[in-house]
Amino acid sequence: MRLVLLGAPGSGKGTQAARLKEHLQVPHISTGDLLRAEVAAGSPLGLQAKEVMARGDLVSDDILLGMLRDRFSRDDTRAGFILDGYPRNLAQAAALDKLLAELGQAFDAAVQLTVDNEQIIERLAGRAKAEGRADDTPESVRHRLNVYDQQTAPVIDFYRQHGQLTVVDGVGSLDEVFTRILEAIQPGHEVG
């Protein structure tokens, strides 16, 4: 099972990805974690990324794609993976599609977790209070949600047009959302 998890910050992607990893016995690949690991390991791509980040720039799609190419070539991804945090824009979605075709790894589905923006703001405010985080103010969360909506709307349309998008209601208990995701990715479930 090769999945891309899509959803706004606070939609529960990370939590559900961890549960899916255990259930499906495939790796959860977070591009943020992958980037940090490559930099820490001092790999050639990690060194390139470190240099870019030291300048305060965003790591290029080419560097991220190179890291994903390397990650997808490892044995533990043969049975699939759960990709979280990528693609974030249309160019990345097209590049990922091309990469998986080159590697002969059939893509199964993009799962979009949907949660109302006001509920996300409440969730993140609760997280900020519990974890003492100052970056989850309602104003900053609204800004991040707007950026997410602008950047990922084309990605969602990309997967919808390719018949690979499945939309899952991300509101409810962890178990309820998890069950909805499992039902949505079952073979024979209509995607699109």
Side-chain angles (χ1 to χ4, degrees):
M1 182 71 55
R2 289 172 186 84
L3 301 175
V4 169
L5 282 184
L6 302 169
S11 64
K13 285 188 318 289
T15 301
Q16 293 300 335
R19 297 184 88 182
L20 285 166
K21 172 186 175 180
E22 293 303 314
H23 183 80
L24 299 172
Q25 293 297 296
V26 297
H28 168 210
I29 301 171
S30 159
T31 51
D33 291 346
L34 185 60
L35 185 60
R36 286 183 286 279
E38 292 287 329
V39 169
S43 73
L45 286 171
L47 293 174
Q48 281 182 306
K50 185 177 181 178
E51 185 179 310
V52 169
M53 292 184 304
R55 293 192 308 261
D57 294 331
L58 292 174
V59 176
S60 73
D61 289 352
D62 288 341
I63 292 173
L64 280 175
L65 200 62
M67 289 180 181
L68 286 171
R69 177 184 295 279
D70 177 63
R71 184 65 185 91
F72 292 157
S73 70
R74 297 182 197 160
D75 286 343
D76 68 338
T77 63
R78 287 188 199 274
F81 54 80
I82 302 153
L83 188 57
D84 173 12
Y86 189 96
R88 290 181 187 247
N89 59 49
L90 195 53
Q92 289 178 351
L96 176 63
D97 202 43
K98 184 178 177 190
L99 173 62
L100 291 174
E102 287 172 12
L103 297 174
Q105 295 190 15
F107 179 74
D108 292 298
V111 177
Q112 179 189 13
L113 288 178
T114 59
V115 179
D116 177 79
N117 281 356
E118 290 308 310
Q119 286 182 303
I120 287 176
I121 292 166
E122 283 179 35
R123 280 184 185 182
L124 293 182
R127 181 177 82 179
K129 187 175 181 181
E131 298 177 10
R133 294 176 59 151
D135 63 333
D136 283 337
T137 65
E139 296 77 26
S140 69
V141 171
R142 278 191 184 88
H143 175 72
R144 288 181 3 229
L145 291 172
N146 286 334
V147 169
Y148 172 83
D149 287 342
Q150 291 169 10
Q151 289 181 348
T152 59
V155 174
I156 290 163
D157 287 340
F158 175 88
Y159 287 121
R160 184 176 288 121
Q161 290 170 7
H162 285 82
Q164 296 171 311
L165 181 70
T166 186
V167 179
V168 174
D169 181 0
V171 178
S173 73
L174 295 177
D175 288 340
E176 289 169 340
V177 175
F178 185 66
T179 298
R180 286 184 208 129
I181 293 170
L182 291 179
E183 289 171 357
I185 63 174
Q186 290 303 312
H189 178 82
E190 193 165 318
V191 177

